[in-house]
Amino acid sequence: MRAADSRRPWMWDGAVTGFWLLAALIDVTSGGWQRIPHNNDDTPLWLVWVMSFGLALPLYVRRRRPLAALLLVLPFALLSAWTGANLQAALLQLVFVFGIALRLRLRILVMVLGAIIVPPVVGTFRYPVGSWDMQVVPMLYAFTIVALFGIAVRSRQEYTASLMERAQRLEVERDQQAQLAAAAERTRIAREMHDIIGHNLSVITGLADGGRYAAAKSPERAVEALDAISTTSRTALTELRRLLGVLREDVAATAGAGPWEPQSTPRAPQPALSDLNQLVDGVRAAGLPVRLVAHGRPQPLPPGQQLTVYRVIQEALTNTLKHAGPDATATVRLTHAPGSLTATVTNTGPPLKEPSRAGGRGITGMRERTALYDGSLEAAPDPRGGWRVHLHLPIPEDTTP
């Protein structure tokens, strides 16, 4: 009904106006206005009809212009009190009071009180029958009740609107934070992949130069150099395609144009699986007991995948140090299987909330790295207590040690 009303408000306004106009006219034609307390039996019937129309028709604009509609009604309400007809349709003023309390400022509501109390006061002084408060006080009571009801509905609507606005704002902020985290991680991945691609291209250049000199004296060595160039270039091309797949957006526009780092910055070799023992020793020195277990026969992995496994284990152990408590212990399990590598990091500390939900971006970065190589990552509470990070990476068949 609210959706239909928002699309065609004139239909609801017309229905309400027609209903009350019909009620006012039935009251006139049945002589009901003569049976209620009134002060003048000689009011012309045509004037009663005019006042009935004047009191009901402004209802059509009550929602769009509540104050203007009330100003249109007030002359007919004053005429009803002046002539002594005291039409029941004059109570429709309270509908406009509700609309004013719902949509306009409270200062205007106070001014409206002074306006609608004029007809009862005029009727009291023009036809002083009985006590003066018989006409004034009931109107004050009715005005107060309707005004308070309108203010209550207005407060409820404003509170609901503020909650919806806050929820939308939080949702936008959450999306923005996720986008910023993804952009930052893409920048970091691109910086690390820069070294891998540069290394492969340097190897290709060296092999090409050596093969050119060896072609004349040792064709066998030249063929070996060409094979190595082919393998290395395929590996570099695979890494580059994966990089472009995850960095479809303009990283330079997000992180700033220009090189990733100044050319004078020294670069260290990127960590690999062979550096896991050193990583575990460093975590142990920081106070976290860690056990490293490996299963299966290791298979050759591209440098990018080795770096992904290393960074995921590093982030999982760092989160354990931060969130698992002083008595926690951690276990790192590497499982080498044909065509895949699985890494699982668990801790025995108390259950903890996901670090990324607590303001960090570690798990977001791990998922970005894993998606770069078509892998999967699960980060969730361990049913036995603590936290569990499970990484699964497929290993391509055409890899070199």
Side-chain angles (χ1 to χ4, degrees), residues 191-253:
R191 185 183 297 116
E192 293 171 352
M193 293 295 293
H194 175 273
D195 292 338
I196 297 173
I197 301 299
H199 169 74
N200 289 327
L201 293 178
S202 299
V203 171
I204 291 172
T205 302
L207 290 173
D209 292 340
R212 181 165 57 87
Y213 288 108
K217 297 181 180 180
S218 180
E220 296 81 5
R221 298 294 301 273
V223 171
E224 292 178 0
L226 291 175
D227 291 340
I229 290 174
S230 177
T231 303
T232 306
S233 62
R234 285 192 180 95
T235 303
L237 183 59
T238 301
E239 298 287 352
L240 183 59
R241 285 174 176 171
R242 285 172 178 155
L243 173 63
L244 295 177
V246 77
L247 299 178
R248 285 186 292 267
E249 298 179 1
D250 188 4
V251 179

Coordinates of all heavy atoms in Angstrom, one line a residue, residues 191-253:
R191 N 54.4 -5.1 -6.3 CA 55.8 -4.8 -6.0 C 56.6 -6.0 -5.9 O 57.8 -6.1 -6.3 CB 55.8 -4.0 -4.6 CG 57.2 -3.5 -4.2 CD 57.1 -2.8 -2.9 NE 56.3 -1.6 -2.9 CZ 55.2 -1.5 -2.2 NH1 54.7 -2.5 -1.5 NH2 54.4 -0.4 -2.3
E192 N 56.0 -7.1 -5.3 CA 56.8 -8.3 -5.1 C 56.9 -9.0 -6.5 O 58.0 -9.6 -6.8 CB 56.1 -9.2 -4.1 CG 56.1 -8.6 -2.7 CD 55.2 -9.4 -1.8 OE1 54.5 -10.3 -2.2 OE2 55.3 -9.1 -0.6
M193 N 55.9 -9.0 -7.3 CA 56.0 -9.6 -8.6 C 56.9 -8.9 -9.5 O 57.5 -9.5 -10.5 CB 54.6 -9.7 -9.2 CG 53.6 -10.5 -8.5 SD 54.0 -12.3 -8.6 CE 53.8 -12.6 -10.3
H194 N 57.2 -7.6 -9.3 CA 58.1 -6.9 -10.1 C 59.5 -7.5 -10.0 O 60.2 -7.6 -11.0 CB 58.2 -5.4 -9.6 CG 59.2 -4.6 -10.2 ND1 60.5 -4.5 -9.8 CD2 59.2 -3.8 -11.3 CE1 61.2 -3.7 -10.6 NE2 60.4 -3.2 -11.5
D195 N 59.9 -8.0 -8.8 CA 61.2 -8.6 -8.7 C 61.2 -10.0 -9.4 O 62.2 -10.4 -10.0 CB 61.5 -8.8 -7.2 CG 61.7 -7.5 -6.5 OD1 62.1 -6.5 -7.2 OD2 61.6 -7.5 -5.2
I196 N 60.1 -10.7 -9.3 CA 60.1 -12.0 -10.0 C 60.2 -11.9 -11.5 O 61.0 -12.6 -12.1 CB 58.8 -12.8 -9.6 CG1 58.7 -13.0 -8.1 CG2 58.7 -14.1 -10.3 CD1 57.5 -13.6 -7.6
I197 N 59.4 -11.0 -12.1 CA 59.4 -10.8 -13.5 C 60.8 -10.3 -13.9 O 61.4 -10.7 -14.9 CB 58.3 -9.8 -14.0 CG1 56.9 -10.4 -13.6 CG2 58.3 -9.6 -15.5 CD1 56.6 -11.8 -14.2
G198 N 61.3 -9.3 -13.2 CA 62.6 -8.8 -13.5 C 63.7 -9.8 -13.4 O 64.6 -9.8 -14.3
H199 N 63.6 -10.7 -12.4 CA 64.6 -11.8 -12.4 C 64.5 -12.7 -13.6 O 65.5 -13.1 -14.2 CB 64.3 -12.6 -11.1 CG 65.1 -13.9 -11.0 ND1 66.5 -13.9 -10.8 CD2 64.7 -15.2 -11.2 CE1 66.9 -15.2 -10.8 NE2 65.9 -16.0 -11.0
N200 N 63.3 -13.1 -14.0 CA 63.2 -14.0 -15.1 C 63.7 -13.3 -16.4 O 64.3 -14.0 -17.2 CB 61.7 -14.4 -15.3 CG 61.2 -15.3 -14.2 OD1 62.0 -16.1 -13.7 ND2 60.0 -15.2 -13.8
L201 N 63.4 -12.0 -16.6 CA 63.9 -11.3 -17.8 C 65.4 -11.2 -17.8 O 66.0 -11.3 -18.8 CB 63.2 -10.0 -17.9 CG 61.7 -10.0 -18.1 CD1 61.2 -8.5 -18.2 CD2 61.4 -10.7 -19.4
S202 N 66.0 -11.0 -16.6 CA 67.4 -10.9 -16.5 C 68.1 -12.3 -16.9 O 69.1 -12.3 -17.6 CB 67.9 -10.5 -15.1 OG 67.4 -9.3 -14.8
V203 N 67.4 -13.4 -16.4 CA 67.9 -14.7 -16.8 C 67.8 -14.9 -18.3 O 68.8 -15.5 -18.9 CB 67.2 -15.8 -16.0 CG1 67.5 -17.2 -16.5 CG2 67.5 -15.7 -14.5
I204 N 66.7 -14.5 -18.9 CA 66.5 -14.7 -20.3 C 67.6 -13.9 -21.1 O 68.2 -14.4 -22.1 CB 65.1 -14.3 -20.7 CG1 64.1 -15.3 -20.2 CG2 65.0 -14.2 -22.2 CD1 62.6 -14.8 -20.3
T205 N 67.8 -12.7 -20.6 CA 68.9 -11.9 -21.3 C 70.2 -12.5 -21.2 O 71.0 -12.6 -22.2 CB 68.9 -10.5 -20.7 OG1 67.6 -9.9 -20.8 CG2 69.9 -9.6 -21.4
G206 N 70.6 -13.0 -20.0 CA 71.9 -13.7 -19.9 C 72.0 -14.9 -20.7 O 73.0 -15.2 -21.4
L207 N 70.9 -15.7 -20.8 CA 71.0 -17.0 -21.6 C 71.0 -16.6 -23.1 O 71.7 -17.4 -23.8 CB 69.7 -17.8 -21.3 CG 69.7 -18.5 -19.9 CD1 68.3 -19.1 -19.7 CD2 70.8 -19.5 -19.7
A208 N 70.3 -15.6 -23.5 CA 70.4 -15.2 -24.9 C 71.8 -14.8 -25.3 O 72.3 -15.1 -26.4 CB 69.3 -14.2 -25.2
D209 N 72.4 -14.0 -24.5 CA 73.8 -13.5 -24.8 C 74.7 -14.7 -24.8 O 75.6 -14.8 -25.7 CB 74.2 -12.5 -23.7 CG 73.4 -11.2 -23.9 OD1 72.9 -10.9 -24.9 OD2 73.4 -10.4 -22.9
G210 N 74.6 -15.6 -23.8 CA 75.5 -16.8 -23.8 C 75.3 -17.7 -25.0 O 76.2 -18.2 -25.6
G211 N 74.0 -17.9 -25.3 CA 73.7 -18.8 -26.4 C 74.2 -18.2 -27.8 O 74.6 -19.0 -28.7
R212 N 74.2 -16.9 -27.9 CA 74.7 -16.3 -29.1 C 76.2 -16.5 -29.3 O 76.6 -16.8 -30.4 CB 74.4 -14.8 -29.1 CG 74.8 -14.1 -30.4 CD 74.2 -12.7 -30.5 NE 74.5 -11.9 -29.3 CZ 75.6 -11.1 -29.1 NH1 76.4 -11.1 -30.1 NH2 75.8 -10.4 -28.1
Y213 N 76.9 -16.4 -28.2 CA 78.4 -16.7 -28.3 C 78.7 -18.2 -28.4 O 79.7 -18.5 -29.1 CB 79.1 -16.1 -27.1 CG 79.1 -14.6 -27.1 CD1 78.4 -13.9 -26.2 CD2 80.0 -13.9 -28.0 CE1 78.4 -12.5 -26.2 CE2 80.0 -12.5 -28.0 CZ 79.2 -11.8 -27.1 OH 79.3 -10.5 -27.1
A214 N 77.8 -19.0 -27.9 CA 78.1 -20.5 -27.9 C 77.6 -21.1 -29.2 O 78.0 -22.3 -29.5 CB 77.5 -21.2 -26.7
A215 N 76.8 -20.4 -30.0 CA 76.3 -21.0 -31.2 C 77.3 -21.4 -32.2 O 77.2 -22.5 -32.8 CB 75.3 -20.1 -31.9
A216 N 78.4 -20.6 -32.3 CA 79.4 -20.9 -33.3 C 80.3 -22.1 -32.8 O 80.7 -22.9 -33.7 CB 80.3 -19.7 -33.5
K217 N 80.7 -22.2 -31.6 CA 81.6 -23.2 -31.1 C 81.0 -24.5 -30.5 O 81.5 -25.6 -30.6 CB 82.6 -22.6 -30.1 CG 83.4 -21.5 -30.6 CD 84.3 -20.9 -29.5 CE 85.2 -19.7 -30.1 NZ 86.1 -19.2 -29.0
S218 N 79.8 -24.3 -29.8 CA 79.2 -25.4 -29.2 C 77.7 -25.4 -29.4 O 76.9 -24.8 -28.6 CB 79.5 -25.4 -27.7 OG 78.9 -26.5 -27.0
P219 N 77.2 -25.9 -30.5 CA 75.8 -25.9 -30.8 C 74.9 -26.5 -29.7 O 73.8 -26.1 -29.5 CB 75.7 -26.6 -32.1 CG 77.0 -26.5 -32.8 CD 78.0 -26.5 -31.6
E220 N 75.5 -27.6 -29.1 CA 74.7 -28.2 -28.0 C 74.4 -27.3 -26.9 O 73.3 -27.2 -26.3 CB 75.4 -29.5 -27.5 CG 75.7 -30.6 -28.5 CD 76.8 -30.3 -29.4 OE1 77.5 -29.3 -29.2 OE2 77.1 -31.1 -30.4
R221 N 75.4 -26.5 -26.5 CA 75.2 -25.5 -25.4 C 74.2 -24.5 -25.8 O 73.4 -24.0 -25.0 CB 76.5 -24.9 -25.0 CG 77.5 -25.9 -24.4 CD 77.1 -26.5 -23.1 NE 76.8 -25.5 -22.1 CZ 77.8 -25.0 -21.3 NH1 79.0 -25.5 -21.4 NH2 77.5 -24.1 -20.4
A222 N 74.2 -24.1 -27.1 CA 73.3 -23.1 -27.6 C 71.8 -23.6 -27.5 O 70.9 -22.9 -27.2 CB 73.6 -22.7 -29.0
V223 N 71.7 -24.9 -27.9 CA 70.3 -25.5 -27.8 C 69.8 -25.6 -26.3 O 68.7 -25.3 -26.0 CB 70.3 -27.0 -28.4 CG1 69.0 -27.7 -28.1 CG2 70.6 -26.9 -29.9
E224 N 70.8 -25.9 -25.4 CA 70.4 -25.9 -24.0 C 70.0 -24.5 -23.5 O 69.0 -24.3 -22.8 CB 71.5 -26.4 -23.2 CG 71.9 -27.9 -23.4 CD 73.0 -28.4 -22.5 OE1 73.6 -27.5 -21.8 OE2 73.4 -29.5 -22.6
A225 N 70.7 -23.5 -24.0 CA 70.3 -22.1 -23.6 C 69.0 -21.7 -24.2 O 68.2 -21.1 -23.5 CB 71.4 -21.2 -24.2
L226 N 68.7 -22.2 -25.4 CA 67.4 -21.9 -26.0 C 66.3 -22.6 -25.2 O 65.2 -22.0 -25.0 CB 67.4 -22.3 -27.5 CG 68.2 -21.4 -28.4 CD1 68.2 -22.0 -29.8 CD2 67.8 -20.0 -28.4
D227 N 66.5 -23.8 -24.8 CA 65.5 -24.5 -24.0 C 65.2 -23.8 -22.7 O 64.1 -23.7 -22.2 CB 65.9 -26.0 -23.8 CG 65.9 -26.8 -25.1 OD1 65.2 -26.4 -26.0 OD2 66.6 -27.8 -25.1
A228 N 66.3 -23.4 -22.1 CA 66.2 -22.7 -20.8 C 65.4 -21.3 -21.0 O 64.6 -20.9 -20.2 CB 67.5 -22.4 -20.2
I229 N 65.8 -20.7 -22.1 CA 65.1 -19.4 -22.4 C 63.6 -19.7 -22.6 O 62.7 -18.9 -22.1 CB 65.7 -18.7 -23.7 CG1 67.1 -18.2 -23.3 CG2 64.8 -17.6 -24.2 CD1 67.8 -17.7 -24.6
S230 N 63.2 -20.7 -23.3 CA 61.8 -21.0 -23.5 C 61.1 -21.3 -22.2 O 60.0 -20.8 -22.0 CB 61.7 -22.3 -24.5 OG 60.4 -22.7 -24.6
T231 N 61.7 -22.2 -21.4 CA 61.1 -22.5 -20.1 C 60.9 -21.3 -19.2 O 59.9 -21.0 -18.6 CB 61.9 -23.6 -19.3 OG1 62.0 -24.7 -20.2 CG2 61.2 -24.0 -18.0
T232 N 62.0 -20.5 -19.1 CA 61.9 -19.3 -18.3 C 60.9 -18.3 -18.8 O 60.2 -17.6 -18.0 CB 63.3 -18.6 -18.2 OG1 64.3 -19.6 -17.7 CG2 63.4 -17.5 -17.2
S233 N 60.9 -18.1 -20.1 CA 59.9 -17.1 -20.6 C 58.5 -17.5 -20.4 O 57.6 -16.7 -20.1 CB 60.2 -16.9 -22.1 OG 60.0 -18.1 -22.8
R234 N 58.2 -18.9 -20.5 CA 56.9 -19.3 -20.2 C 56.5 -19.1 -18.8 O 55.4 -18.7 -18.5 CB 56.8 -20.8 -20.5 CG 56.7 -21.2 -22.0 CD 56.3 -22.6 -22.2 NE 56.3 -22.9 -23.7 CZ 57.3 -23.5 -24.3 NH1 58.4 -23.8 -23.7 NH2 57.2 -23.8 -25.6
T235 N 57.5 -19.3 -17.9 CA 57.2 -19.1 -16.4 C 56.9 -17.6 -16.2 O 56.0 -17.2 -15.5 CB 58.4 -19.5 -15.6 OG1 58.6 -20.9 -15.8 CG2 58.1 -19.3 -14.1
A236 N 57.7 -16.7 -16.8 CA 57.5 -15.3 -16.7 C 56.2 -14.9 -17.2 O 55.5 -14.0 -16.7 CB 58.7 -14.5 -17.3
L237 N 55.8 -15.4 -18.4 CA 54.6 -15.1 -19.0 C 53.4 -15.5 -18.2 O 52.4 -14.8 -18.0 CB 54.5 -15.7 -20.4 CG 53.2 -15.4 -21.2 CD1 53.1 -13.9 -21.5 CD2 53.2 -16.1 -22.6
T238 N 53.5 -16.7 -17.6 CA 52.4 -17.2 -16.7 C 52.3 -16.2 -15.5 O 51.1 -15.9 -15.1 CB 52.7 -18.6 -16.2 OG1 52.8 -19.4 -17.3 CG2 51.6 -19.1 -15.3
E239 N 53.4 -15.9 -14.9 CA 53.3 -14.9 -13.7 C 52.7 -13.6 -14.1 O 51.9 -13.0 -13.4 CB 54.8 -14.7 -13.2 CG 55.4 -16.0 -12.6 CD 54.8 -16.4 -11.3 OE1 54.0 -15.7 -10.8 OE2 55.2 -17.5 -10.8
L240 N 53.1 -13.1 -15.3 CA 52.6 -11.8 -15.8 C 51.1 -11.9 -16.0 O 50.4 -10.9 -15.7 CB 53.4 -11.4 -17.0 CG 53.0 -10.0 -17.6 CD1 53.3 -8.9 -16.6 CD2 53.8 -9.8 -18.9
R241 N 50.6 -12.9 -16.6 CA 49.2 -13.1 -16.9 C 48.4 -13.1 -15.5 O 47.3 -12.5 -15.4 CB 48.9 -14.3 -17.7 CG 49.3 -14.2 -19.1 CD 49.1 -15.6 -19.8 NE 49.4 -15.4 -21.3 CZ 49.5 -16.5 -22.1 NH1 49.4 -17.7 -21.6 NH2 49.7 -16.3 -23.4
R242 N 48.9 -13.8 -14.6 CA 48.2 -13.8 -13.3 C 48.2 -12.5 -12.6 O 47.3 -12.0 -12.0 CB 48.9 -14.8 -12.4 CG 48.6 -16.3 -12.7 CD 49.4 -17.3 -11.9 NE 49.1 -18.6 -12.3 CZ 49.8 -19.7 -12.1 NH1 51.1 -19.5 -11.7 NH2 49.4 -20.9 -12.5
L243 N 49.3 -11.8 -12.8 CA 49.4 -10.4 -12.2 C 48.4 -9.5 -12.9 O 47.7 -8.8 -12.2 CB 50.8 -9.9 -12.4 CG 51.0 -8.4 -12.0 CD1 50.8 -8.2 -10.5 CD2 52.4 -7.9 -12.4
L244 N 48.3 -9.5 -14.2 CA 47.3 -8.7 -14.9 C 45.9 -9.1 -14.6 O 45.0 -8.3 -14.6 CB 47.6 -8.8 -16.4 CG 48.9 -8.2 -16.9 CD1 49.1 -8.4 -18.4 CD2 49.0 -6.7 -16.5
G245 N 45.7 -10.4 -14.3 CA 44.4 -10.8 -13.9 C 43.9 -10.2 -12.6 O 42.7 -9.9 -12.5
V246 N 44.8 -10.1 -11.6 CA 44.3 -9.6 -10.3 C 44.4 -8.1 -10.3 O 43.8 -7.5 -9.4 CB 45.2 -10.2 -9.2 CG1 46.6 -9.6 -9.2 CG2 44.5 -10.1 -7.8
L247 N 45.2 -7.5 -11.2 CA 45.3 -6.0 -11.2 C 44.6 -5.5 -12.4 O 45.2 -4.7 -13.2 CB 46.8 -5.7 -11.2 CG 47.7 -6.1 -10.0 CD1 49.1 -5.7 -10.2 CD2 47.1 -5.6 -8.7
R248 N 43.4 -5.8 -12.6 CA 42.7 -5.3 -13.7 C 42.4 -3.8 -13.6 O 42.3 -3.1 -14.6 CB 41.3 -6.1 -13.9 CG 41.5 -7.4 -14.5 CD 40.1 -8.1 -14.7 NE 39.4 -8.3 -13.5 CZ 39.5 -9.5 -12.8 NH1 40.2 -10.5 -13.3 NH2 38.8 -9.7 -11.7
E249 N 42.3 -3.4 -12.4 CA 42.1 -2.0 -12.2 C 43.4 -1.2 -12.3 O 44.5 -1.8 -12.2 CB 41.5 -1.7 -10.8 CG 40.1 -2.3 -10.6 CD 39.5 -2.1 -9.2 OE1 40.2 -1.4 -8.5 OE2 38.4 -2.6 -9.0
D250 N 43.4 0.0 -12.4 CA 44.6 0.8 -12.6 C 45.2 1.0 -11.2 O 44.8 1.9 -10.4 CB 44.2 2.2 -13.2 CG 45.5 3.0 -13.6 OD1 46.6 2.4 -13.4 OD2 45.3 4.1 -14.0
V251 N 46.2 0.2 -11.0 CA 46.9 0.3 -9.7 C 47.7 1.6 -9.5 O 47.8 2.2 -8.5 CB 47.9 -0.9 -9.5 CG1 48.6 -0.9 -8.2 CG2 47.1 -2.2 -9.6
A252 N 48.2 2.0 -10.7 CA 49.0 3.3 -10.6 C 48.1 4.5 -10.2 O 48.5 5.3 -9.5 CB 49.6 3.6 -12.0
A253 N 46.8 4.4 -10.6 CA 45.9 5.5 -10.2 C 45.5 5.4 -8.7 O 45.2 6.4 -8.1 CB 44.6 5.5 -11.1

